[in-house]
Amino acid sequence: MTVKRVMRVSRWLRLACTINMLAIPLLFSCAVLSGEFTAHAITDAHPDLRIDTPPGLWAVITYIVIEALLAVVALYVLWQMRALFGGYAQGEVLTVDSARRLLRSGRGLLTLAATGVLAHSVQTVLLSAGNAPGQRQLSITLSDADLGFLLCGGLLLVVGWAMVEAAHVAEENRGFV
């Protein structure tokens, strides 16, 4: 009964990952094309930051590239999770391959959290680079989402390590039968 439930729920989660994998590039492209990443729009999105001079073209392009890199990391995590749920949907629950996908998902979430914090810091420097010397800013923040990604990534990493060991033992036991 439990394996059937895992298979059923995994089909839905795989679909959710697929939808998100399609939505992220689409929404990102719409944001770029609609002007969400203009100097003024970016500046308005950071009301806590003192920006005397709107960022130049290269700062805006760098800002967009950083956002794109974060999206790529998120897509990698979704890709790993989609593959994991695809295996689970086929009944491949306690396999080394599934455990490794779980590990990669955990590492990806940890990377997403770390790069998110780093990206925000770099972006604040970019946005305030046009300010007079002494007025430029560096902001380092750790949001609730970043903390959640760190904790979930760590959880998936530890469970993934345990699952790799369990899958190896299960394979050995199948070899004896």
Side-chain angles (χ1 to χ4, degrees), residues 13-66:
L13 291 172
R14 183 175 188 268
L15 177 63
C17 287
T18 302
I19 291 168
N20 278 287
M21 288 176 70
L22 295 171
I24 288 173
L26 179 66
L27 292 173
F28 188 82
S29 299
C30 288
V32 170
L33 295 174
S34 70
E36 288 292 318
F37 290 115
T38 63
H40 291 292
I42 293 170
T43 303
D44 292 344
H46 295 277
D48 56 326
L49 197 60
R50 181 175 174 206
I51 303 171
D52 297 332
T53 306
L57 177 63
W58 287 109
V60 171
I61 291 171
T62 305
Y63 188 96
I64 293 169
V65 167
I66 290 169

Side-chain angles (χ1 to χ4, degrees), residues 67-68 75 86 132 144 155 163:
E67 290 294 320
L75 287 169
D144 294 343
L155 173 67
M163 292 297 293

Side-chain angles (χ1 to χ4, degrees), residues 29-111:
S29 299
C30 288
V32 170
L33 295 174
S34 70
E36 288 292 318
F37 290 115
T38 63
H40 291 292
I42 293 170
T43 303
D44 292 344
H46 295 277
D48 56 326
L49 197 60
R50 181 175 174 206
I51 303 171
D52 297 332
T53 306
L57 177 63
W58 287 109
V60 171
I61 291 171
T62 305
Y63 188 96
I64 293 169
V65 167
I66 290 169
E67 290 294 320
L69 290 173
L70 290 172
V72 167
V73 175
L75 287 169
Y76 172 79
V77 173
L78 287 168
W79 178 48
Q80 292 302 321
M81 292 173 71
R82 182 180 182 276
L84 175 68
F85 293 132
Y88 285 174
Q90 299 297 320
E92 300 168 12
V93 177
L94 192 57
T95 65
V96 173
D97 193 38
S98 291
R100 288 192 177 128
R101 286 184 178 128
L102 188 63
L103 267 173
R104 288 190 291 264
S105 297
R107 286 185 187 123
L109 278 176
L110 288 171
T111 302

Side-chain angles (χ1 to χ4, degrees), residues 46 63 65-74 77 107-125 138-150:
H46 295 277
Y63 188 96
V65 167
I66 290 169
E67 290 294 320
L69 290 173
L70 290 172
V72 167
V73 175
V77 173
R107 286 185 187 123
L109 278 176
L110 288 171
T111 302
L112 188 59
T115 55
V117 171
L118 181 63
H120 176 76
S121 299
V122 170
Q123 287 172 330
T124 60
V125 170
L138 168 64
S139 172
I140 301 171
T141 59
L142 184 66
S143 70
D144 294 343
D146 296 327
L147 187 57
F149 284 141
L150 283 170

